[in-house]
Amino acid sequence: MSGDLTPLASAAFWTHALAAVGFAVLLLWRLRAGVTRRDQFLLLAAYAITAAWAWLVAIEGPTAPLPVLAETVRNLLWVVILYNLSGAASAKGEAAARGLRLVFGAEALVIGLELILGLFALTAAMTPELTRAFDETSRLLRVVMAAGALIIIHNVYAQAAPSSRGSIKLAMFALAATWGYDLNLYTLAYLGAPLADGLVVWRGLVIAATVPLFALSRDRDSGWRIRLSHAATFQSLSLLAICAYFIMMAFLATALRGSGWDWSRGLSVIGIAIMTLGAVVLLPSSRARAWTKVKLAKHFFEHRYDYRAEWLRFTGTIGRSGGSAAPLGERVIEAFADILDVPGGLLLVADESGAIDPAAAWHWTGTALATGEPRPAADFWRIVETEGRILDLDSARRQHGSAKDQLPIPDWMLADEAAWVGVPLIHHDRLVGLVLLAAPDYRRALDWEDFDLLRTAGRQAASSLAEAHGQEALANAQRFEEFNRRFAFILHDVKNLVSQLSLLSRNAERHADNPEFRADMVATLKGSVGKMNDLLARLSPQAGQRSERAEPTPLRDLLSAAVAAKRRDHDVRLLGDTSLWALVDPLGLEQAVGHLLQNAIDASPDGAAVVVRVSHDDSSVQVEIIDAGCGMDAEFVRHRLFQPFASTKQGGFGVGAFEARSLVNAMGGRLVVSSTPGKGSSFVIHLTAATAAEPLQRKIA
């Protein structure tokens, strides 16, 4: 270089020379390892042409025809390497590769135009006006090329398997830096911005900085492939279509500049006509839209469905919750309708007799089915349950296949032309339902991919329905269990009332003439009737949710009444300070003490008194029921005493102690038991001490 170079020209020389030396060294270093594969040869060729281009820019300048042509060849080699990495070159038989090859084809078209312009500029005599037009067109092509290359890099890296990204990460970053810098450079140059000259100077430094990135990147594993999704391909095609539109308009603007023809008006008319035609054809016609979607999926993708997106949408629809969520049956239909893009459907179930009834409907467009109509189809239901076959009703109507392959599909189902596909919902080899989907506007033929996806989704939906049915059955069982529990308590109380009335009837034969006995008998009968009415009220469905008032209550009257009811049969003594107050539910405590007293009386020998003793400490009141009966061992107390239907008495129900503890726990107390075989038992009810203060509201089960 001569010494009269400007500082910018000198900087441009040295930065590009540095880049040329860097890639030349990288080339020699890679050559030492040998070249055994086609992709290695392409990589070395890209290193060589990049070094040559950088050196040509250093000695001739960036706008000379030869460096411009070398840059185009450099870009072509790197795009070929990306094409080889993507796997599209070897996926000739796969439909998914068609869209990918189209992306690379559009990029190759742009590079091809660059090559034509570069060769023409290198060989032909150029006038100043023609040179200016070629420069503008070349800059525009390079803008589009850089943008397309960045799109390809994004897709190649994003669609790589996670385990393969590490080997290409640095190389992808180096290429993205190269073409990202070029995109900004040529955009500013096309717009005539002064900053473009400075970017040209330091471009060589950016290219030189990519050398270590290429050196540190590992060779690609020979089995590495790219899996391109539907969304990625559509994104690439859309962005390239935008770039193509941009280059076409800019190219026409450049070519027609100064021609005198009002090209903008003409192109506007043509564009509006094309858009109007497309709107007239596609927008009003759902059939045309469906046809377009089917053709795109058929010709651009290996698979019809984006399985990840479909599965997320399917599970999201079925699992939708909240007050605004539709019932599960409707959500199941909607989830299948979204997969096949159909307007609606029915959920059919079979009753005990084998007749089919609609369980749910979602935007069903076919014949309405009334619940309860006789639609016997037991054989059809059993065969579908056994085979799990997707019902292609259009194929069945055309009688495809041999007679032995035909399912006995009910005539009413075939007669409804709106019915298109039937999806069995099978859970643990049991058919829990059949989703009947309405036909779309464009009735395409179903294939294996539709059948596989619908069959798999059917199993998932069947699990959700089976779980919902199980939860409903469990809730019903819990309601019956609660009813049975209350009934067992009531039956125990009825037994006590029967015993009391039996004793009353026996005494009436001897003391019927005694006025005091008659008055006591009437009072006893009124009390028994009141207790029976209370027992019937406890059987109502609302009994388990009733609100009772646990309030400060004096214990004297309550305990005296419970003791007096038992003194007719046995000696029961009330001892201690009965003037104490406790926080209790009066009716519940009276019932609990009555149960414990009855158990103590039954366990005590004749003549042995049962004692009810009341005591207290700082914060609690204790009501202790003591008997001198046979007692219980520790194993019985620990494992059987408070279990329902466990009793040591002949003919006993085994629910007295269980109900007593439930009542005490419900009012916030505790029931403690101590017993010694042969000596007797002690049941202590611990209650919260209280005074005549404000009542406390509690829920009593």
Side-chain angles (χ1 to χ4, degrees):
M1 295 292 295
S2 60
D4 58 351
L5 286 178
T6 64
L8 286 179
S10 178
F13 170 81
W14 287 112
T15 56
H16 284 84
L18 177 64
V21 172
F23 273 95
V25 172
L26 182 61
L27 173 64
L28 295 175
W29 179 58
R30 289 289 188 178
L31 280 173
R32 293 180 57 190
V35 180
T36 59
R37 299 196 308 265
R38 175 175 174 268
D39 57 340
Q40 291 177 333
F41 175 79
L42 288 174
L43 188 61
L44 295 179
Y47 291 159
I49 194 63
T50 303
W53 161 79
W55 182 248
L56 288 173
V57 172
I59 61 176
E60 294 192 15
T63 59
L66 192 57
V68 170
L69 185 61
E71 180 181 351
T72 302
V73 177
R74 181 206 71 178
N75 291 337
L76 177 61
L77 279 174
W78 284 119
V79 169
V80 169
I81 290 174
L82 291 175
Y83 180 73
N84 191 51
L85 275 176
S86 69
S90 60
K92 298 179 180 179
E94 298 181 4
R98 298 173 185 170
L100 185 58
R101 286 198 291 269
L102 183 59
V103 174
F104 281 100
E107 185 74 356
L109 176 62
V110 175
I111 296 176
L113 292 175
E114 290 183 26
L115 281 174
I116 293 173
L117 290 179
L119 291 172
F120 188 83
L122 186 63
T123 57
M126 303 282 288
T127 63
E129 294 78 8
L130 189 59
T131 300
R132 185 168 56 254
F134 267 65
D135 288 342
E136 291 182 359
T137 304
S138 177
R139 294 188 187 109
L140 184 59
L141 287 173
R142 295 190 186 281
V143 169
V144 177
M145 183 272 151
L150 291 174
I151 294 171
I152 291 174
I153 290 173
H154 167 73
N155 280 287
V156 168
Y157 184 76
Q159 300 308 313
S163 60
S164 303
R165 290 178 180 173
S167 62
I168 62 169
K169 178 171 61 177
L170 295 178
M172 294 299 102
F173 183 78
L175 291 175
T178 300
W179 281 319
Y181 195 93
D182 286 354
L183 179 63
N184 289 280
L185 168 63
Y186 288 115
T187 300
L188 293 174
Y190 180 79
L191 296 176
L195 185 60
D197 294 335
L199 292 179
V200 170
V201 171
W202 302 109
R203 183 184 182 189
L205 189 61
V206 173
I207 300 300
T210 64
V211 173
L213 299 178
F214 284 115
L216 293 174
S217 63
R218 300 189 300 273
D219 286 336
R220 175 175 70 93
D221 184 82
S222 59
W224 188 78
R225 290 277 309 276
I226 298 297
R227 297 189 301 270
L228 193 65
S229 69
H230 287 204
T233 302
F234 272 131
Q235 181 187 36
S236 302
L237 294 175
S238 300
L239 291 175
L240 282 179
I242 294 172
C243 292
Y245 173 79
F246 176 68
I247 183 176
M248 181 186 69
M249 297 301 297
F251 182 79
L252 289 175
T254 302
L256 298 175
R257 184 182 300 165
S259 64
W261 181 62
D262 191 359
W263 59 272
S264 60
R265 181 177 180 182
L267 289 180
S268 299
V269 171
I270 295 173
I272 292 174
I274 293 174
M275 288 187 290
T276 302
L277 179 62
V280 169
V281 172
L282 291 178
L283 294 182
S285 174
S286 57
R287 178 183 176 87
R289 292 196 302 272
W291 178 88
T292 303
K293 184 180 293 186
V294 169
K295 295 304 178 183
L296 285 175
K298 179 179 179 181
H299 294 290
F300 285 103
F301 304 110
E302 178 183 6
H303 299 295
R304 184 187 306 278
Y305 300 100
D306 186 338
Y307 291 101
R308 178 179 179 276
E310 294 292 346
W311 201 247
L312 288 175
R313 181 173 61 182
F314 184 86
T315 54
T317 301
I318 290 183
R320 190 184 303 150
S321 61
S324 60
L328 178 59
E330 295 182 18
R331 299 201 306 271
V332 168
I333 301 170
E334 181 185 356
F336 282 101
D338 289 340
I339 290 177
L340 291 182
D341 197 15
V342 300
L346 282 176
L347 175 60
L348 304 176
V349 297
D351 59 17
E352 294 80 2
S353 64
I356 296 178
D357 275 331
W362 185 76
H363 300 168
W364 174 245
T365 58
T367 304
L369 301 180
T371 302
E373 288 186 0
R375 284 182 288 269
D379 292 340
F380 163 73
W381 199 264
R382 185 178 62 257
I383 294 175
V384 172
E385 182 177 67
T386 302
E387 298 184 0
R389 186 189 307 182
I390 303 297
L391 306 182
D392 186 349
L393 298 180
D394 279 355
S395 177
R397 293 186 185 102
R398 294 190 298 267
Q399 295 297 314
H400 280 186
S402 60
K404 67 177 182 180
D405 292 331
Q406 292 298 316
L407 287 173
I409 300 176
D411 293 337
W412 59 265
M413 192 180 294
L414 292 175
D416 192 347
E417 290 293 332
W420 185 42
V421 178
V423 183
L425 309 181
I426 298 178
H427 181 69
H428 292 317
D429 298 327
R430 185 174 68 87
L431 184 61
V432 299
L434 179 71
V435 175
L436 195 63
L437 297 175
D441 294 314
Y442 178 71
R443 303 172 81 123
R444 63 178 177 83
L446 300 177
D447 57 22
W448 63 269
E449 191 173 359
D450 299 303
F451 295 149
D452 285 349
L453 179 58
L454 292 176
R455 191 178 296 110
T456 303
R459 295 192 188 99
Q460 176 66 28
S463 298
S464 299
L465 283 175
E467 180 183 1
H469 293 163
Q471 290 177 344
E472 182 179 359
L474 179 61
N476 291 334
Q478 289 174 338
R479 285 192 288 269
F480 274 109
E481 181 184 2
E482 173 63 20
F483 178 84
N484 293 336
R485 185 180 68 86
R486 293 200 303 269
F487 188 80
F489 291 166
I490 290 169
L491 195 61
H492 182 270
D493 294 341
V494 167
K495 181 179 76 71
N496 293 336
L497 287 174
V498 168
S499 300
Q500 184 179 11
L501 293 176
S502 297
L503 178 63
L504 184 65
S505 65
R506 289 195 302 269
N507 291 333
E509 296 175 354
R510 293 179 293 173
H511 307 290
D513 296 334
N514 188 339
E516 294 182 357
F517 175 79
R518 287 199 300 268
D520 185 63
M521 181 178 65
V522 171
T524 301
L525 290 175
K526 287 182 178 179
S528 298
V529 170
K531 289 181 179 180
M532 288 182 181
N533 287 329
D534 290 340
L535 295 179
L536 291 175
R538 288 167 62 187
L539 279 177
S540 66
Q542 294 78 22
Q545 300 297 328
R546 75 184 191 278
S547 178
E548 295 289 351
R549 188 172 295 276
E551 56 188 9
T553 303
L555 298 180
R556 175 175 293 151
D557 293 342
L558 190 152
L559 295 177
S560 297
V563 168
K566 303 298 180 182
R567 272 181 178 160
R568 299 185 184 95
D569 304 327
H570 199 88
D571 182 14
V572 180
R573 303 173 185 177
L574 179 59
L575 306 176
D577 187 2
T578 58
S579 64
L580 297 173
W581 288 56
L583 190 65
V584 299
D585 166 34
L587 179 60
L589 182 59
E590 184 179 357
Q591 287 179 335
V593 172
H595 290 322
L596 296 177
L597 278 175
Q598 187 63 50
N599 288 345
I601 291 171
D602 293 340
S604 299
D606 294 337
V610 174
V611 177
V612 178
R613 179 179 288 112
V614 182
S615 60
H616 70 93
D617 54 27
D618 293 338
S619 60
S620 65
V621 175
Q622 296 85 38
V623 179
E624 185 177 10
I625 295 93
I626 307 169
D627 68 70
C630 59
M632 301 170 287
D633 58 32
E635 192 278 335
F636 183 86
V637 172
R638 186 179 300 109
H639 298 293
R640 298 182 58 196
L641 175 61
F642 295 113
Q643 293 297 319
F645 314 116
S647 176
T648 58
K649 296 183 295 184
Q650 184 70 25
F653 280 41
V655 295
F658 176 69
E659 183 179 10
R661 189 174 71 166
S662 299
L663 292 169
V664 171
N665 289 343
M667 66 184 73
R670 290 184 296 113
L671 180 59
V672 179
V673 182
S674 61
S675 183
T676 303
K679 294 185 178 181
S681 303
S682 170
F683 288 78
V684 183
I685 301 174
H686 294 263
L687 301 170
T688 302
T691 58
E694 296 183 2
L696 178 65
Q697 190 76 11
R698 289 182 182 270
K699 289 284 186 180
I700 306 298

